Every structure is written in structure tokens, then in C-alpha cells.
Amino acid sequence: MQFLICKTYFKDSLLTTYARSLSGYDPAYLLPGLPEAEFAKTFDEATEISSGRFNSVFPYLWKIKKFLNIGSEKRLKEASSRLRQFAKNIIKEKKQELSKNSSLESVDLLSRFLSSGHSDEDFVTDIVISFILAGRDTTSAALTWYFWLLSQNQEVEKEVLREIKEKSESPVYEEVKDMVYTHASLCESMRLYPPVPIDSKVAKHDDVLPDGTVVKKGARVCYHPYAMGRLEVLWGSDWEKFRPERWLESATDGANKNGKWSFVGRDPYTYPVFQAGPRICLGKDMAFLQMKRVVAGILRRFKVVPVAEDGFEPVLVAYLTSKMKDGFPVRFEERSD
């Protein structure tokens, strides 16, 4: 079986996943006809405009447009209003559901937030939007580049597939947690193509960096995970190679006596894909869990083949996340084995 996957598939599937795990709400973005999702479209527009603010050479321009409520800032205001209304509707429905059945046992996070006493609507609305924003685009970006790298590295794909077939068809949490090689391959993919290619922090107080650089209160300090993942001083002379083994130790290395791989992580300051310090990404474990489940579900049944000419190299477009220009058109070939 062969078909073309649209470039928004990962984002819409993850938006469905996050919406359901957060609130129990199913936006039905994965219907067979793949209808255009208005909420997803609005989310993309708001994200792109917000990203433009960060990358603006002349920040005062967007501030003027915001003051005058014109152009992109007017569209951002309208998109933000629609997103907040969408989130508030979900919260309203969930409150009604909980009021009718106070003993409702629900696994979604929104029910737990509301049941634990978080009644401030603006606070809960921010939580809903932040949760979807943090998980949807970043995870879909990571998976897009991951499947591209797998298509170019057949030996890695074979090893990932071997590990997947050792698990059940619908792997439970413990099985997913034990997918060490797949975990390493995802880390390696995000080293080369981090979901957030560049990030920044604003100094709350005057400070001095370890190298003596003075940072004044209010100064913006940027760091570049995309560039850091390609530094020879951090990753060696073979930094350009997609090699999951750099994250692993084998039985021959004395890692264990069962002949299996053992994962060896890097400190977050060398590999800041999930941030570092006291504010490390809270969704890190959930992101890996979801990505491994998606990878296992797809590769067990299909081979992902790029629909592109030989020699094609995708172009990275850095918004808030590492997007692939024009998406990643592929063909799914059903596995015969």
C-alpha cells in the first residue's frame, strides 16, 4: 500500500493526542478526509507571528503595529482571542461534566487541575494553551526530521525496527521505556535538528558569565542548540553523522551482562534540547513516550519513503521550531514481513 502523507499529519495527530490527554476532548483532526482544522490553522498563524517578534531586526516595528492594532499584530490579537475562547469552551464543558459527576474518575490533566482546586479561569486557560503549544509543534518537528534521517540511514532503521518487533504490537509503558536504541536514535536526531533551534533568556538581575562577560539586568542572552549539536569540540570529528551509538554502551563495554544496549545521557548544558537548570522541560518524559509510541506504531507496519528526487536535501526553516520547508512528503509502503 502506498499513499502520500500531508505535511501537517504529525502536527494534527499530536494536537489530537495532546487535546485528549489534556482534557479528554477529541478535535477529530484525523478523520479519513483530513479536513482542514481551523484551530490548528489559527495556532500556526499565532505561532508564526510570535516567532517573527523574536527574530525581528527592528523590534519597535511590531510594537508600533501592536499599538495601532494593524497588520500582523492585529491578526495575532484576533488569533489569540480565538485560541483563548477555544480553551475556555473546553474548560467550561469539563466543569459541567465534573459538576454532574463529582466522583468522576478521569485520567485527563484538565480534570485533575480543576479537581485540585485550580479554579482561576485565566490560569487554567493559560495551562491548556501552553500545554498544547509546548508539545504539538516541538514533537511534530522532531518526528519529521527523525523520519527523514531514518530514510537516509537504513542500518539505523533496521536496528530500530528490530527493537520494535521485540515488543508487543501496542507496547505498554514499561516496554516503551525499555526501547533504548529507539530512545538513543531520537536523541541523536534532535542533536542534529533540535525542535527549538535557538532560544534565549532575559537576565532578571545584573550578572557575570563564567568567561567574564557582564550581563546587565534586562539583557537578552541567546544560545543556539542547533549550532551546539554540530560542534566538533562537543561531539567529536564525526559530529555530522547520524549515529545513535554515541548515546549507548554495549555489553562489550561492560554496561550490562545481558547483551543489550545501555543508554548514556549527556548533561543538559552540552545537550540543551530540553533546556537546563531548574527550569528543565516538564514534558520531556511525555514527549519521549509519545514519540516512541508513534515511531513503533508506524515502523512496525510501514516503511517511510521520501517522495523526492535523489540527492534531495530538506531545508530547515527556523521559526519557534525547526520546520522543514514545504513539509516532508512521503510514501508509506506496507511491510510484507
Side-chain angles (χ1 to χ4, degrees):
M1 181 177 71
Q2 300 181 6
F3 58 90
L4 187 67
I5 182 172
C6 72
K7 65 183 179 181
T8 59
Y9 176 81
F10 282 141
K11 288 201 293 186
D12 288 348
S13 63
L14 288 163
L15 184 51
T16 297
T17 301
Y18 274 97
R20 293 183 67 176
S21 61
L22 176 63
S23 64
Y25 169 76
D26 186 353
Y29 292 153
L30 296 180
L31 291 174
L34 288 177
E36 182 176 51
E38 186 60 34
F39 177 71
K41 181 179 178 182
T42 302
F43 222 107
D44 283 340
E45 182 178 25
T47 301
E48 185 173 337
I49 296 173
S50 298
S51 177
R53 283 181 170 185
F54 286 105
N55 298 325
S56 176
V57 178
F58 305 107
Y60 64 85
L61 291 179
W62 70 258
K63 293 180 181 181
I64 292 174
K65 287 194 287 184
K66 180 180 180 181
F67 178 77
L68 297 176
N69 192 31
I70 60 174
S72 59
E73 287 300 313
K74 179 181 180 180
R75 298 200 309 275
L76 177 60
K77 182 178 180 180
E78 293 171 347
S80 298
S81 177
R82 291 196 297 271
L83 291 176
R84 295 193 69 81
Q85 190 57 53
F86 175 86
K88 287 180 179 180
N89 289 340
I90 292 178
I91 295 168
K92 180 180 178 181
E93 292 175 7
K94 181 57 65 175
K95 283 183 176 179
Q96 292 174 346
E97 184 182 351
L98 291 171
S99 66
K100 292 178 182 178
N101 187 356
S102 59
S103 62
L104 180 67
E105 292 185 5
S106 178
V107 295
D108 67 77
L109 295 177
L110 181 56
S111 294
R112 295 183 179 185
F113 266 112
L114 295 175
S115 299
S116 64
H118 292 290
S119 58
D120 184 280
E121 187 176 84
D122 287 334
F123 173 78
V124 180
T125 299
D126 289 341
I127 289 294
V128 171
I129 294 175
S130 296
F131 190 90
I132 297 176
L133 176 63
R136 173 182 175 245
D137 277 4
T138 51
T139 311
S140 64
L143 285 172
T144 300
W145 290 103
Y146 178 76
F147 278 101
W148 156 253
L149 288 169
L150 276 192
S151 71
Q152 304 302 303
N153 295 270
Q154 298 299 309
E155 291 304 315
V156 174
E157 182 183 12
K158 288 180 182 178
E159 186 66 20
V160 170
L161 185 59
R162 181 197 62 75
E163 185 175 65
I164 289 171
K165 289 187 174 182
E166 291 178 349
K167 314 301 178 185
S168 59
E169 289 199 13
S170 297
V172 295
Y173 172 75
E174 288 302 324
E175 289 181 300
V176 174
K177 187 178 179 181
D178 194 40
M179 293 169 63
V180 178
Y181 190 88
T182 305
H183 190 98
S185 65
L186 285 164
C187 287
E188 179 71 346
S189 174
M190 289 187 288
R191 173 182 72 84
L192 292 168
Y193 296 102
V196 180
I198 186 170
D199 204 353
S200 62
K201 307 296 179 186
V202 175
K204 187 175 181 180
H205 305 288
D206 290 349
D207 204 350
V208 179
L209 299 182
D211 68 351
T213 301
V214 176
V215 179
K216 294 294 185 180
K217 176 182 178 181
R220 180 183 174 193
V221 179
C222 297
Y223 63 100
H224 209 304
Y226 178 85
M228 291 174 66
R230 294 158 184 268
L231 287 177
E232 183 174 340
V233 68
L234 295 179
W235 302 99
S237 58
D238 65 343
W239 64 264
E240 78 282 1
K241 293 183 180 179
F242 177 56
R243 193 170 65 83
E245 289 76 13
R246 75 175 76 244
W247 296 85
L248 301 167
E249 288 181 350
S250 67
T252 56
D253 299 321
N256 58 63
K257 299 179 181 180
N258 300 319
K260 293 184 178 181
W261 292 111
S262 177
F263 182 78
V264 181
R266 298 295 186 98
D267 73 87
Y269 297 97
T270 297
Y271 183 74
V273 170
F274 292 94
Q275 309 248 2
R279 292 180 178 81
I280 195 167
C281 176
L282 294 177
K284 177 181 177 180
D285 290 340
M286 184 176 183
F288 273 114
L289 176 64
Q290 288 194 314
M291 287 191 290
K292 285 191 276 190
R293 285 294 298 270
V294 170
V295 169
I298 291 177
L299 291 186
R300 179 182 290 275
R301 295 186 57 195
F302 303 103
K303 183 175 180 62
V304 182
V305 182
V307 181
E309 298 179 358
D310 291 340
F312 167 77
E313 288 290 338
V315 177
L316 182 142
V317 180
Y319 288 123
L320 287 178
T321 54
S322 301
K323 297 181 182 294
M324 188 180 290
K325 184 179 180 181
D326 298 325
F328 183 33
V330 300
R331 184 175 66 250
F332 281 3
E333 296 182 351
E334 194 166 19
R335 297 186 187 276
S336 58
D337 56 347

